[in-house]
Amino acid sequence: MSEITPDVVEAHGLNSEEYERVLNALGREPNLVELGIFSVMWSEHCSYKSSRFHLKQLPTKAPWVICGPGENAGVIDIGDGQAAIFKMESHNHPSYIEPFQGAATGVGGILRDVFTMGARPVANMNALRFGRPEHPKMKHLVQGVVEGIGSYGNCVGVPTVGGETNFHKAYDGNILVNAMTVGVADTDKIFYSAATGLGNPIVYVGSKTGRDGIHGATMASADFDEHSDEKRPTVQVGDPFTEKLLIEACLELMATDAIVAIQDMGAAGLTSSSVEMASKGGAGIRLNMNNVPCREEAMTPYEMMLSESQERMLMVLQPGKEPMAEAIFKKWELDFAVIGEVTDTGHMVLEFNGEVVCDIPLGPLADDAPEYERPYVSPEEYKAWAKVPALGDVGESADIGADLLKLMGTVDLASRKWIWEQYDSQVGGDTMQKSGGDAAVVRIHNTPKALAISTDCSPRYCYADPYEGGKQAVAETYRNISAVGGLPLAITNCLNFANPQRPEIMAQIVGCLNGMGDACRALDYPIVSGNVSLYNESKATGGGSAILPTPAIGGVGILADHEKMATVAFKNVGDEIFLLGAPEGKLGSHLGQSLWLREIAGQEAGEAPRVDLTVEAENGAAIREWIGADKVTAVHDVSDGGLLVALAEMALASGLGCNLDVELTTAEAFGEDQSRYLVTAPAGTELPGARRIGTVAGTKVAGNEVSDLRDANEAFFKDWMEG
């Protein structure tokens, strides 16, 4: 065994105070296996030590919430004895180092979180952030990430139905890859991870363990420097075909009464899965490391425990059920091995070659992991630090139509068709609305119901005002789900921030979480699962430093009748166009932090738009009521780019143009005021509270032919990827 020196401790990501806690927990010096286990369990990635204190303030309960944060994924009741199970996870650092495998294994990991709980995955989503397109590495990163997501999802047979992709120089040195999976299960067949039953067998199933991904969790808890490429061995390698077999084998075994507890081996692999199962069950665990299926020669217990090889699960079975379970996994050509048993010692004990190589009390590893209330600056001090300029005088646009044409071709608004055409969105045959609408819609097989799913966040708002940005990220998914006719039920999140040891960054985290919490409470839209990804910053040459605060939100809602679903496309010439949510008589007024301001006026300035949560809830309810009553023919929420961009998107989805009855000011055309929806309805329809602004007619929007808008909108990715 290696000697434990201060350098070895530091290499494992533990500071001197944390190492002191290890010594106190053990009452002695750890060996290398024990140090490695403490290192990954106390990493930011596994313990949430910088965010746990603030995460406790978030609303997580509602009558329809079956299981909130703390399990592999969140679970909500969707009626008729069915549940939706979903979660979002980050795979940021691995995807920057090795974009294809980083993104692919991110999809694989989040799929396992969902089917571990007994759900069949029905939809994948993602939220991606990249740096400037002209950055020398960015095209390679975009191509690799998109190919990795598409390859894994397509091969495993789960449709990728939507997501979002944004670009900003703050992500030059640290891209974000957030993956979300939604599954459906019967409410009486949900599986949890608490290991119970003295003497019950612990079994390992799936792929063999290799040396890939060792220290992945620790690597994901540090920022990048100029040596980041040397971390490539810490990136896992995925096999979607094995994952497909694993899904089917697990679901087959779940149909029996054999499983007591089940946990996927995600970050920190065998360590986190075994520690979490035992600590949740208030039990102990004994593992014989000689029984772990390995694909490489002479693997040590340290390597086996810290490997993040993919497509692996850990289970506790009912005694005597091992032969039946083994037969199922062998049929699916997967490894199956009894590697230990549940004990009542409260300790994790590992044996190898007849010797005890690890004996750790589980309390300090899991529940008593370090928790920091890191210092953060006040909102006023944050504002002074962020140096967001006040909104300068921009006057009126010289040509609103020309501005619209230019905006539709910018990287932020350009068609993402090049991306989503690489994803199989139709496998399974239940996709009713995919990328390009406000929310993805997936029918629940053999029922009239459908799930509506959206991922969203506006990092530029979060940087300018973390509290308002956090509110807006939640409200935007609420709006997207309402816009297709869904009742928003709950969210998952992926909280991507830079170094929490910097008080300004900690202020972003606290502000965003406070805004998210207030929005969830006001909208009756609780948080049921999530992930925190910190230290997203780079010291690498040519990279930016900190990312923008990016609390990505994944929302899920329910349509009772999928035949009532709304879409964004204009439907009929002569339909009247209405705006719901016109602020104080104007159609729009807020240019601060807008895309028009940045792309046309050349300013990244002004305050983030405010979200009135009472108005948000009222307008969402009105939209859902109108859709349910068949009063409206098309619906689209107004977001990035403002009113005119939203009208152009409705036109692009249909080929039809529109005539407006009003002369738009610049702020009305491009302001990004919140809680607004555009709807169309047959002539003469009464929509209380909405303002009629025009009709569907012709082939132009603001003087631009729809075909010209389409050419501009589709040019960016085509030119970039083919150039």
Side-chain angles (χ1 to χ4, degrees), residues 1 14 26 35 111 242 301 306 320 338 360 427 486 493 580 611 629 719:
M1 280 285 177
L14 295 171
L26 292 176
L35 182 70
L111 281 164
T242 300
L306 268 55
V338 178
I360 302 179
V427 62
N493 60 57
L580 177 64
V611 181
D719 293 349

Side-chain angles (χ1 to χ4, degrees), residues 554-574:
V556 174
I558 188 81
L559 283 82
D561 180 358
H562 59 66
E563 292 190 357
K564 300 274 189 186
M565 175 186 77
T567 62
V568 305
F570 289 146
K571 302 297 185 302
N572 314 298
V573 171

Side-chain angles (χ1 to χ4, degrees), residues 617-637:
E618 289 170 353
N619 289 357
I623 287 290
R624 294 192 298 272
E625 184 189 329
W626 296 343
I627 293 170
D630 290 326
K631 283 188 169 183
V632 292
T633 49
V635 182
H636 190 18
D637 88 303

Side-chain angles (χ1 to χ4, degrees), residues 48 58-59 67-69 71-76 85-90 110 113-114 125 127 178-182 453-457 473-474 477 481 489-495 516 520 525-532 550-557:
Y48 297 169
L58 294 172
C67 178
E71 274 293 338
N72 286 292
V75 186
I76 56 171
I85 300 182
F86 57 98
K87 191 181 180 188
M88 197 179 206
E89 275 268 10
S90 61
I110 198 64
D113 278 337
V114 167
M125 300 277 287
N178 296 172
M180 177 178 173
T181 293
V182 184
I453 315 160
S454 168
T455 58
D456 234 294
C457 181
V474 171
T477 64
I481 290 167
L489 291 177
I491 68 172
T492 183
N493 60 57
C494 211
L495 307 174
M516 287 165 52
C520 289
Y525 192 35
I527 295 168
V528 296
S529 61
N531 170 245
V532 180
T550 313
I553 304 295
V556 174

Side-chain angles (χ1 to χ4, degrees), residues 294-629:
C294 292
R295 67 165 181 261
E296 298 187 43
E297 291 294 314
M299 285 191 72
T300 65
Y302 178 92
E303 292 171 324
M304 291 180 221
M305 291 305 289
L306 268 55
S307 166
E308 293 186 9
S309 294
Q310 296 291 289
E311 293 89 37
R312 302 179 301 156
M313 314 283 277
L314 202 61
M315 299 180 182
V316 177
L317 297 184
Q318 299 280 7
K321 300 289 185 181
E322 302 95 322
M324 176 191 69
E326 182 172 15
I328 289 172
F329 282 90
K330 293 293 186 212
K331 181 183 82 174
W332 290 100
E333 299 179 352
L334 296 165
D335 273 278
F336 177 98
V338 178
I339 64 167
E341 63 181 13
V342 178
T343 67
D344 59 2
T345 63
H347 279 234
M348 168 190 260
V349 177
L350 308 180
E351 294 176 352
F352 185 61
N353 293 341
E355 290 180 19
V356 172
V357 293
C358 167
D359 186 346
I360 302 179
L362 284 160
L365 263 187
D367 304 334
D368 303 335
E371 177 177 304
Y372 298 122
E373 288 182 55
R374 298 205 186 274
Y376 55 95
V377 298
S378 69
E380 294 71 34
E381 290 168 319
Y382 174 78
K383 210 166 187 178
W385 171 82
K387 293 188 179 67
V388 177
L391 183 60
D393 179 27
V394 292
E396 283 296 316
S397 166
D399 186 339
I400 278 176
D403 287 357
L404 173 65
L405 187 64
K406 184 176 176 185
L407 271 177
M408 294 306 289
T410 61
V411 64
D412 273 80
L413 293 172
S415 166
R416 270 55 178 150
K417 198 159 95 172
W418 178 88
I419 294 175
W420 48 259
E421 282 187 342
Q422 297 185 54
Y423 303 152
D424 187 342
S425 60
Q426 302 303 315
V427 62
D430 285 319
T431 304
M432 307 196 66
Q433 197 165 159
K434 59 183 181 181
S435 299
D438 281 324
V441 180
V442 178
R443 181 176 51 203
I444 298 168
H445 208 60
N446 294 330
T447 78
K449 298 182 299 191
L451 294 171
I453 315 160
S454 168
T455 58
D456 234 294
C457 181
S458 299
R460 63 186 188 277
Y461 297 170
C462 295
Y463 182 81
D465 186 331
Y467 175 74
E468 285 297 329
K471 271 167 59 179
Q472 193 273 342
V474 171
E476 177 71 17
T477 64
Y478 183 88
R479 216 174 296 147
N480 288 336
I481 290 167
S482 296
V484 298
L487 173 66
L489 291 177
I491 68 172
T492 183
N493 60 57
C494 211
L495 307 174
N496 307 274
F497 294 93
N499 186 339
Q501 295 173 54
R502 295 165 57 190
E504 298 83 10
I505 302 300
M506 201 62 216
Q508 294 175 345
I509 296 171
V510 174
C512 285
L513 286 173
N514 288 343
M516 287 165 52
D518 284 353
C520 289
R521 280 181 281 270
L523 300 173
D524 215 5
Y525 192 35
I527 295 168
V528 296
S529 61
N531 170 245
V532 180
S533 174
L534 304 181
Y535 296 94
N536 287 293
E537 55 185 83
S538 170
K539 301 183 185 78
T541 314
S545 52
I547 64 161
L548 298 179
T550 313
I553 304 295
V556 174
I558 188 81
L559 283 82
D561 180 358
H562 59 66
E563 292 190 357
K564 300 274 189 186
M565 175 186 77
T567 62
V568 305
F570 289 146
K571 302 297 185 302
N572 314 298
V573 171
D575 277 358
E576 296 182 326
I577 303 169
F578 296 83
L579 177 68
L580 177 64
E584 297 159 12
K586 298 177 184 168
L587 299 182
S589 62
H590 192 96
L591 283 174
Q593 296 300 322
S594 67
L595 291 183
W596 180 88
L597 188 70
R598 188 178 81 201
E599 299 294 334
I600 308 296
Q603 294 186 38
E604 284 195 61
E607 295 189 352
R610 299 264 183 274
V611 181
D612 183 324
L613 294 167
T614 305
V615 172
E616 191 71 63
E618 289 170 353
N619 289 357
I623 287 290
R624 294 192 298 272
E625 184 189 329
W626 296 343
I627 293 170

Side-chain angles (χ1 to χ4, degrees), residues 32-49:
L32 190 64
V33 177
E34 292 165 337
L35 182 70
I37 287 171
F38 272 104
S39 151
V40 292
M41 289 308 297
W42 286 6
S43 69
E44 199 73 65
H45 197 73
C46 292
S47 74
Y48 297 169
K49 58 190 173 190

Side-chain angles (χ1 to χ4, degrees), residues 631-652:
K631 283 188 169 183
V632 292
T633 49
V635 182
H636 190 18
D637 88 303
V638 181
S639 57
D640 285 353
L643 178 67
L644 214 46
V645 166
L647 284 167
E649 288 168 343
M650 297 175 86
L652 287 175

